[in-house]
């Protein structure tokens, strides 16, 4: 299977903390916005929202992804 990571989701400022029905929110914490991909064959890619490969900077995340996530998994979040 060949796939590419989508553009990262970014935070959006709002005028009111009141949310519409069906929406959820969480506080914005400082950290790295990143996307994680686990490919077939044991390849893992951790990239910043600007596309920088950060995989070598976080070997513990790479190891955890290989140990706990199935192949062809993609995650987006803040770490």
């Amino acid at each position: 299977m060949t796939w590419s990571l989508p553009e990262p989701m970014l935070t959006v400022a709002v005028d009111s903390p009141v949310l519409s029905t069906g929406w959820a929110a969480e506080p914005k914490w400082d950290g790295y916005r990143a996307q994680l991909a686990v490919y077939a064959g044991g390849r893992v890619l951790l990239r910043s929202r600007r596309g920088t490969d950060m995989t070598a900077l976080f070997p513990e995340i790479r190891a955890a992804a290989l140990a706990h996530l199935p192949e062809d998994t993609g995650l987006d979040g803040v770490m």
Side-chain angles (χ1 to χ4, degrees), residues 25-45:
E26 62 184 34
K28 182 183 180 320
W29 304 104
D30 286 339
Y32 294 101
R33 184 76 194 201
Q35 293 178 321
L36 175 74
V38 180
Y39 296 91
R43 179 175 172 237
V44 174
L45 173 63

mmCIF file with all atom_site columns, all heavy atoms in Angstrom, residues 25-45:
data_model
loop_
_atom_site.group_PDB
_atom_site.id
_atom_site.type_symbol
_atom_site.label_atom_id
_atom_site.label_alt_id
_atom_site.label_comp_id
_atom_site.label_asym_id
_atom_site.label_entity_id
_atom_site.label_seq_id
_atom_site.pdbx_PDB_ins_code
_atom_site.Cartn_x
_atom_site.Cartn_y
_atom_site.Cartn_z
_atom_site.occupancy
_atom_site.B_iso_or_equiv
_atom_site.pdbx_formal_charge
_atom_site.auth_seq_id
_atom_site.auth_comp_id
_atom_site.auth_asym_id
_atom_site.auth_atom_id
_atom_site.pdbx_PDB_model_num
ATOM 1   N N   . ALA A 1 25 ? -13.399 20.298 21.973 1.00 0.00 ? 25 ALA A N   1
ATOM 2   C CA  . ALA A 1 25 ? -12.182 21.105 21.984 1.00 0.00 ? 25 ALA A CA  1
ATOM 3   C C   . ALA A 1 25 ? -11.303 20.680 23.143 1.00 0.00 ? 25 ALA A C   1
ATOM 4   O O   . ALA A 1 25 ? -11.755 20.008 24.071 1.00 0.00 ? 25 ALA A O   1
ATOM 5   C CB  . ALA A 1 25 ? -12.528 22.589 22.107 1.00 0.00 ? 25 ALA A CB  1
ATOM 6   N N   . GLU A 1 26 ? -10.059 21.084 23.084 1.00 0.00 ? 26 GLU A N   1
ATOM 7   C CA  . GLU A 1 26 ? -9.120  20.827 24.170 1.00 0.00 ? 26 GLU A CA  1
ATOM 8   C C   . GLU A 1 26 ? -8.171  22.009 24.253 1.00 0.00 ? 26 GLU A C   1
ATOM 9   O O   . GLU A 1 26 ? -8.019  22.763 23.287 1.00 0.00 ? 26 GLU A O   1
ATOM 10  C CB  . GLU A 1 26 ? -8.347  19.539 23.923 1.00 0.00 ? 26 GLU A CB  1
ATOM 11  C CG  . GLU A 1 26 ? -7.508  19.557 22.676 1.00 0.00 ? 26 GLU A CG  1
ATOM 12  C CD  . GLU A 1 26 ? -6.816  18.223 22.404 1.00 0.00 ? 26 GLU A CD  1
ATOM 13  O OE1 . GLU A 1 26 ? -7.374  17.178 22.705 1.00 0.00 ? 26 GLU A OE1 1
ATOM 14  O OE2 . GLU A 1 26 ? -5.700  18.264 21.880 1.00 0.00 ? 26 GLU A OE2 1
ATOM 15  N N   . PRO A 1 27 ? -7.538  22.218 25.395 1.00 0.00 ? 27 PRO A N   1
ATOM 16  C CA  . PRO A 1 27 ? -6.583  23.330 25.508 1.00 0.00 ? 27 PRO A CA  1
ATOM 17  C C   . PRO A 1 27 ? -5.405  23.119 24.562 1.00 0.00 ? 27 PRO A C   1
ATOM 18  O O   . PRO A 1 27 ? -5.053  21.982 24.235 1.00 0.00 ? 27 PRO A O   1
ATOM 19  C CB  . PRO A 1 27 ? -6.110  23.276 26.963 1.00 0.00 ? 27 PRO A CB  1
ATOM 20  C CG  . PRO A 1 27 ? -6.949  22.271 27.638 1.00 0.00 ? 27 PRO A CG  1
ATOM 21  C CD  . PRO A 1 27 ? -7.657  21.461 26.625 1.00 0.00 ? 27 PRO A CD  1
ATOM 22  N N   . LYS A 1 28 ? -4.801  24.193 24.138 1.00 0.00 ? 28 LYS A N   1
ATOM 23  C CA  . LYS A 1 28 ? -3.598  24.096 23.317 1.00 0.00 ? 28 LYS A CA  1
ATOM 24  C C   . LYS A 1 28 ? -2.393  24.096 24.245 1.00 0.00 ? 28 LYS A C   1
ATOM 25  O O   . LYS A 1 28 ? -2.138  25.044 24.949 1.00 0.00 ? 28 LYS A O   1
ATOM 26  C CB  . LYS A 1 28 ? -3.480  25.256 22.337 1.00 0.00 ? 28 LYS A CB  1
ATOM 27  C CG  . LYS A 1 28 ? -2.250  25.093 21.461 1.00 0.00 ? 28 LYS A CG  1
ATOM 28  C CD  . LYS A 1 28 ? -2.053  26.247 20.540 1.00 0.00 ? 28 LYS A CD  1
ATOM 29  C CE  . LYS A 1 28 ? -0.839  26.109 19.675 1.00 0.00 ? 28 LYS A CE  1
ATOM 30  N NZ  . LYS A 1 28 ? 0.343   25.560 20.269 1.00 0.00 ? 28 LYS A NZ  1
ATOM 31  N N   . TRP A 1 29 ? -1.666  22.993 24.250 1.00 0.00 ? 29 TRP A N   1
ATOM 32  C CA  . TRP A 1 29 ? -0.470  22.861 25.048 1.00 0.00 ? 29 TRP A CA  1
ATOM 33  C C   . TRP A 1 29 ? 0.734   23.114 24.155 1.00 0.00 ? 29 TRP A C   1
ATOM 34  O O   . TRP A 1 29 ? 0.708   22.828 22.968 1.00 0.00 ? 29 TRP A O   1
ATOM 35  C CB  . TRP A 1 29 ? -0.375  21.462 25.648 1.00 0.00 ? 29 TRP A CB  1
ATOM 36  C CG  . TRP A 1 29 ? -1.561  21.094 26.461 1.00 0.00 ? 29 TRP A CG  1
ATOM 37  C CD1 . TRP A 1 29 ? -2.571  20.262 26.088 1.00 0.00 ? 29 TRP A CD1 1
ATOM 38  C CD2 . TRP A 1 29 ? -1.892  21.560 27.765 1.00 0.00 ? 29 TRP A CD2 1
ATOM 39  N NE1 . TRP A 1 29 ? -3.506  20.163 27.081 1.00 0.00 ? 29 TRP A NE1 1
ATOM 40  C CE2 . TRP A 1 29 ? -3.112  20.966 28.134 1.00 0.00 ? 29 TRP A CE2 1
ATOM 41  C CE3 . TRP A 1 29 ? -1.283  22.424 28.664 1.00 0.00 ? 29 TRP A CE3 1
ATOM 42  C CZ2 . TRP A 1 29 ? -3.724  21.197 29.345 1.00 0.00 ? 29 TRP A CZ2 1
ATOM 43  C CZ3 . TRP A 1 29 ? -1.905  22.663 29.885 1.00 0.00 ? 29 TRP A CZ3 1
ATOM 44  C CH2 . TRP A 1 29 ? -3.099  22.047 30.210 1.00 0.00 ? 29 TRP A CH2 1
ATOM 45  N N   . ASP A 1 30 ? 1.807   23.625 24.743 1.00 0.00 ? 30 ASP A N   1
ATOM 46  C CA  . ASP A 1 30 ? 3.033   23.773 23.969 1.00 0.00 ? 30 ASP A CA  1
ATOM 47  C C   . ASP A 1 30 ? 3.610   22.396 23.686 1.00 0.00 ? 30 ASP A C   1
ATOM 48  O O   . ASP A 1 30 ? 3.547   21.494 24.507 1.00 0.00 ? 30 ASP A O   1
ATOM 49  C CB  . ASP A 1 30 ? 4.066   24.606 24.735 1.00 0.00 ? 30 ASP A CB  1
ATOM 50  C CG  . ASP A 1 30 ? 3.722   26.076 24.748 1.00 0.00 ? 30 ASP A CG  1
ATOM 51  O OD1 . ASP A 1 30 ? 2.943   26.504 23.861 1.00 0.00 ? 30 ASP A OD1 1
ATOM 52  O OD2 . ASP A 1 30 ? 4.204   26.798 25.619 1.00 0.00 ? 30 ASP A OD2 1
ATOM 53  N N   . GLY A 1 31 ? 4.152   22.229 22.528 1.00 0.00 ? 31 GLY A N   1
ATOM 54  C CA  . GLY A 1 31 ? 4.735   20.958 22.127 1.00 0.00 ? 31 GLY A CA  1
ATOM 55  C C   . GLY A 1 31 ? 4.961   20.944 20.636 1.00 0.00 ? 31 GLY A C   1
ATOM 56  O O   . GLY A 1 31 ? 4.865   21.969 19.969 1.00 0.00 ? 31 GLY A O   1
ATOM 57  N N   . TYR A 1 32 ? 5.262   19.786 20.118 1.00 0.00 ? 32 TYR A N   1
ATOM 58  C CA  . TYR A 1 32 ? 5.491   19.619 18.700 1.00 0.00 ? 32 TYR A CA  1
ATOM 59  C C   . TYR A 1 32 ? 4.232   19.085 18.037 1.00 0.00 ? 32 TYR A C   1
ATOM 60  O O   . TYR A 1 32 ? 3.696   18.063 18.461 1.00 0.00 ? 32 TYR A O   1
ATOM 61  C CB  . TYR A 1 32 ? 6.617   18.618 18.420 1.00 0.00 ? 32 TYR A CB  1
ATOM 62  C CG  . TYR A 1 32 ? 7.974   19.076 18.875 1.00 0.00 ? 32 TYR A CG  1
ATOM 63  C CD1 . TYR A 1 32 ? 8.528   18.599 20.054 1.00 0.00 ? 32 TYR A CD1 1
ATOM 64  C CD2 . TYR A 1 32 ? 8.713   19.971 18.105 1.00 0.00 ? 32 TYR A CD2 1
ATOM 65  C CE1 . TYR A 1 32 ? 9.783   19.002 20.458 1.00 0.00 ? 32 TYR A CE1 1
ATOM 66  C CE2 . TYR A 1 32 ? 9.975   20.383 18.513 1.00 0.00 ? 32 TYR A CE2 1
ATOM 67  C CZ  . TYR A 1 32 ? 10.499  19.894 19.682 1.00 0.00 ? 32 TYR A CZ  1
ATOM 68  O OH  . TYR A 1 32 ? 11.739  20.298 20.081 1.00 0.00 ? 32 TYR A OH  1
ATOM 69  N N   . ARG A 1 33 ? 3.769   19.758 17.010 1.00 0.00 ? 33 ARG A N   1
ATOM 70  C CA  . ARG A 1 33 ? 2.692   19.211 16.187 1.00 0.00 ? 33 ARG A CA  1
ATOM 71  C C   . ARG A 1 33 ? 3.360   18.246 15.238 1.00 0.00 ? 33 ARG A C   1
ATOM 72  O O   . ARG A 1 33 ? 4.342   18.598 14.565 1.00 0.00 ? 33 ARG A O   1
ATOM 73  C CB  . ARG A 1 33 ? 2.008   20.331 15.404 1.00 0.00 ? 33 ARG A CB  1
ATOM 74  C CG  . ARG A 1 33 ? 0.826   19.873 14.590 1.00 0.00 ? 33 ARG A CG  1
ATOM 75  C CD  . ARG A 1 33 ? -0.303  19.658 15.543 1.00 0.00 ? 33 ARG A CD  1
ATOM 76  N NE  . ARG A 1 33 ? -1.388  18.924 14.931 1.00 0.00 ? 33 ARG A NE  1
ATOM 77  C CZ  . ARG A 1 33 ? -2.603  18.969 15.427 1.00 0.00 ? 33 ARG A CZ  1
ATOM 78  N NH1 . ARG A 1 33 ? -2.876  19.687 16.494 1.00 0.00 ? 33 ARG A NH1 1
ATOM 79  N NH2 . ARG A 1 33 ? -3.557  18.285 14.875 1.00 0.00 ? 33 ARG A NH2 1
ATOM 80  N N   . ALA A 1 34 ? 2.899   17.018 15.185 1.00 0.00 ? 34 ALA A N   1
ATOM 81  C CA  . ALA A 1 34 ? 3.586   16.023 14.375 1.00 0.00 ? 34 ALA A CA  1
ATOM 82  C C   . ALA A 1 34 ? 2.609   15.021 13.783 1.00 0.00 ? 34 ALA A C   1
ATOM 83  O O   . ALA A 1 34 ? 1.494   14.849 14.281 1.00 0.00 ? 34 ALA A O   1
ATOM 84  C CB  . ALA A 1 34 ? 4.615   15.281 15.229 1.00 0.00 ? 34 ALA A CB  1
ATOM 85  N N   . GLN A 1 35 ? 3.064   14.383 12.724 1.00 0.00 ? 35 GLN A N   1
ATOM 86  C CA  . GLN A 1 35 ? 2.345   13.271 12.120 1.00 0.00 ? 35 GLN A CA  1
ATOM 87  C C   . GLN A 1 35 ? 3.252   12.051 12.175 1.00 0.00 ? 35 GLN A C   1
ATOM 88  O O   . GLN A 1 35 ? 4.460   12.154 11.937 1.00 0.00 ? 35 GLN A O   1
ATOM 89  C CB  . GLN A 1 35 ? 1.972   13.580 10.680 1.00 0.00 ? 35 GLN A CB  1
ATOM 90  C CG  . GLN A 1 35 ? 0.951   14.682 10.572 1.00 0.00 ? 35 GLN A CG  1
ATOM 91  C CD  . GLN A 1 35 ? 0.617   15.010 9.140  1.00 0.00 ? 35 GLN A CD  1
ATOM 92  O OE1 . GLN A 1 35 ? 1.492   15.024 8.284  1.00 0.00 ? 35 GLN A OE1 1
ATOM 93  N NE2 . GLN A 1 35 ? -0.645  15.254 8.883  1.00 0.00 ? 35 GLN A NE2 1
ATOM 94  N N   . LEU A 1 36 ? 2.655   10.928 12.495 1.00 0.00 ? 36 LEU A N   1
ATOM 95  C CA  . LEU A 1 36 ? 3.392   9.678  12.601 1.00 0.00 ? 36 LEU A CA  1
ATOM 96  C C   . LEU A 1 36 ? 2.813   8.704  11.591 1.00 0.00 ? 36 LEU A C   1
ATOM 97  O O   . LEU A 1 36 ? 1.592   8.552  11.504 1.00 0.00 ? 36 LEU A O   1
ATOM 98  C CB  . LEU A 1 36 ? 3.241   9.102  14.013 1.00 0.00 ? 36 LEU A CB  1
ATOM 99  C CG  . LEU A 1 36 ? 3.855   7.728  14.253 1.00 0.00 ? 36 LEU A CG  1
ATOM 100 C CD1 . LEU A 1 36 ? 5.367   7.847  14.317 1.00 0.00 ? 36 LEU A CD1 1
ATOM 101 C CD2 . LEU A 1 36 ? 3.310   7.104  15.513 1.00 0.00 ? 36 LEU A CD2 1
ATOM 102 N N   . ALA A 1 37 ? 3.666   8.066  10.833 1.00 0.00 ? 37 ALA A N   1
ATOM 103 C CA  . ALA A 1 37 ? 3.228   7.046  9.880  1.00 0.00 ? 37 ALA A CA  1
ATOM 104 C C   . ALA A 1 37 ? 4.039   5.780  10.113 1.00 0.00 ? 37 ALA A C   1
ATOM 105 O O   . ALA A 1 37 ? 5.259   5.840  10.266 1.00 0.00 ? 37 ALA A O   1
ATOM 106 C CB  . ALA A 1 37 ? 3.427   7.527  8.447  1.00 0.00 ? 37 ALA A CB  1
ATOM 107 N N   . VAL A 1 38 ? 3.344   4.660  10.157 1.00 0.00 ? 38 VAL A N   1
ATOM 108 C CA  . VAL A 1 38 ? 3.986   3.350  10.239 1.00 0.00 ? 38 VAL A CA  1
ATOM 109 C C   . VAL A 1 38 ? 3.689   2.643  8.924  1.00 0.00 ? 38 VAL A C   1
ATOM 110 O O   . VAL A 1 38 ? 2.522   2.388  8.605  1.00 0.00 ? 38 VAL A O   1
ATOM 111 C CB  . VAL A 1 38 ? 3.459   2.521  11.430 1.00 0.00 ? 38 VAL A CB  1
ATOM 112 C CG1 . VAL A 1 38 ? 4.156   1.165  11.482 1.00 0.00 ? 38 VAL A CG1 1
ATOM 113 C CG2 . VAL A 1 38 ? 3.636   3.273  12.734 1.00 0.00 ? 38 VAL A CG2 1
ATOM 114 N N   . TYR A 1 39 ? 4.721   2.386  8.162  1.00 0.00 ? 39 TYR A N   1
ATOM 115 C CA  . TYR A 1 39 ? 4.590   1.758  6.854  1.00 0.00 ? 39 TYR A CA  1
ATOM 116 C C   . TYR A 1 39 ? 4.865   0.267  6.939  1.00 0.00 ? 39 TYR A C   1
ATOM 117 O O   . TYR A 1 39 ? 5.463   -0.210 7.910  1.00 0.00 ? 39 TYR A O   1
ATOM 118 C CB  . TYR A 1 39 ? 5.584   2.384  5.866  1.00 0.00 ? 39 TYR A CB  1
ATOM 119 C CG  . TYR A 1 39 ? 5.344   3.845  5.580  1.00 0.00 ? 39 TYR A CG  1
ATOM 120 C CD1 . TYR A 1 39 ? 5.956   4.835  6.345  1.00 0.00 ? 39 TYR A CD1 1
ATOM 121 C CD2 . TYR A 1 39 ? 4.514   4.237  4.543  1.00 0.00 ? 39 TYR A CD2 1
ATOM 122 C CE1 . TYR A 1 39 ? 5.745   6.179  6.080  1.00 0.00 ? 39 TYR A CE1 1
ATOM 123 C CE2 . TYR A 1 39 ? 4.297   5.583  4.261  1.00 0.00 ? 39 TYR A CE2 1
ATOM 124 C CZ  . TYR A 1 39 ? 4.922   6.556  5.030  1.00 0.00 ? 39 TYR A CZ  1
ATOM 125 O OH  . TYR A 1 39 ? 4.713   7.869  4.773  1.00 0.00 ? 39 TYR A OH  1
ATOM 126 N N   . ALA A 1 40 ? 4.472   -0.440 5.918  1.00 0.00 ? 40 ALA A N   1
ATOM 127 C CA  . ALA A 1 40 ? 4.801   -1.863 5.814  1.00 0.00 ? 40 ALA A CA  1
ATOM 128 C C   . ALA A 1 40 ? 6.314   -2.015 5.785  1.00 0.00 ? 40 ALA A C   1
ATOM 129 O O   . ALA A 1 40 ? 7.028   -1.149 5.289  1.00 0.00 ? 40 ALA A O   1
ATOM 130 C CB  . ALA A 1 40 ? 4.179   -2.450 4.552  1.00 0.00 ? 40 ALA A CB  1
ATOM 131 N N   . GLY A 1 41 ? 6.800   -3.089 6.352  1.00 0.00 ? 41 GLY A N   1
ATOM 132 C CA  . GLY A 1 41 ? 8.239   -3.354 6.348  1.00 0.00 ? 41 GLY A CA  1
ATOM 133 C C   . GLY A 1 41 ? 8.991   -2.690 7.486  1.00 0.00 ? 41 GLY A C   1
ATOM 134 O O   . GLY A 1 41 ? 10.213  -2.688 7.509  1.00 0.00 ? 41 GLY A O   1
ATOM 135 N N   . GLY A 1 42 ? 8.267   -2.074 8.431  1.00 0.00 ? 42 GLY A N   1
ATOM 136 C CA  . GLY A 1 42 ? 8.919   -1.505 9.605  1.00 0.00 ? 42 GLY A CA  1
ATOM 137 C C   . GLY A 1 42 ? 9.423   -0.082 9.459  1.00 0.00 ? 42 GLY A C   1
ATOM 138 O O   . GLY A 1 42 ? 10.138  0.409  10.328 1.00 0.00 ? 42 GLY A O   1
ATOM 139 N N   . ARG A 1 43 ? 9.055   0.602  8.396  1.00 0.00 ? 43 ARG A N   1
ATOM 140 C CA  . ARG A 1 43 ? 9.466   2.001  8.248  1.00 0.00 ? 43 ARG A CA  1
ATOM 141 C C   . ARG A 1 43 ? 8.529   2.895  9.046  1.00 0.00 ? 43 ARG A C   1
ATOM 142 O O   . ARG A 1 43 ? 7.308   2.746  8.999  1.00 0.00 ? 43 ARG A O   1
ATOM 143 C CB  . ARG A 1 43 ? 9.426   2.421  6.785  1.00 0.00 ? 43 ARG A CB  1
ATOM 144 C CG  . ARG A 1 43 ? 9.829   3.864  6.582  1.00 0.00 ? 43 ARG A CG  1
ATOM 145 C CD  . ARG A 1 43 ? 9.909   4.233  5.111  1.00 0.00 ? 43 ARG A CD  1
ATOM 146 N NE  . ARG A 1 43 ? 10.112  5.672  5.015  1.00 0.00 ? 43 ARG A NE  1
ATOM 147 C CZ  . ARG A 1 43 ? 9.321   6.492  4.348  1.00 0.00 ? 43 ARG A CZ  1
ATOM 148 N NH1 . ARG A 1 43 ? 8.289   6.032  3.690  1.00 0.00 ? 43 ARG A NH1 1
ATOM 149 N NH2 . ARG A 1 43 ? 9.568   7.782  4.332  1.00 0.00 ? 43 ARG A NH2 1
ATOM 150 N N   . VAL A 1 44 ? 9.112   3.822  9.817  1.00 0.00 ? 44 VAL A N   1
ATOM 151 C CA  . VAL A 1 44 ? 8.346   4.780  10.608 1.00 0.00 ? 44 VAL A CA  1
ATOM 152 C C   . VAL A 1 44 ? 8.799   6.181  10.208 1.00 0.00 ? 44 VAL A C   1
ATOM 153 O O   . VAL A 1 44 ? 9.993   6.432  10.058 1.00 0.00 ? 44 VAL A O   1
ATOM 154 C CB  . VAL A 1 44 ? 8.573   4.576  12.129 1.00 0.00 ? 44 VAL A CB  1
ATOM 155 C CG1 . VAL A 1 44 ? 7.885   5.666  12.933 1.00 0.00 ? 44 VAL A CG1 1
ATOM 156 C CG2 . VAL A 1 44 ? 8.077   3.207  12.556 1.00 0.00 ? 44 VAL A CG2 1
ATOM 157 N N   . LEU A 1 45 ? 7.849   7.081  10.045 1.00 0.00 ? 45 LEU A N   1
ATOM 158 C CA  . LEU A 1 45 ? 8.155   8.475  9.739  1.00 0.00 ? 45 LEU A CA  1
ATOM 159 C C   . LEU A 1 45 ? 7.431   9.364  10.749 1.00 0.00 ? 45 LEU A C   1
ATOM 160 O O   . LEU A 1 45 ? 6.220   9.239  10.936 1.00 0.00 ? 45 LEU A O   1
ATOM 161 C CB  . LEU A 1 45 ? 7.707   8.845  8.325  1.00 0.00 ? 45 LEU A CB  1
ATOM 162 C CG  . LEU A 1 45 ? 7.830   10.320 7.939  1.00 0.00 ? 45 LEU A CG  1
ATOM 163 C CD1 . LEU A 1 45 ? 9.292   10.767 7.966  1.00 0.00 ? 45 LEU A CD1 1
ATOM 164 C CD2 . LEU A 1 45 ? 7.213   10.565 6.574  1.00 0.00 ? 45 LEU A CD2 1
#
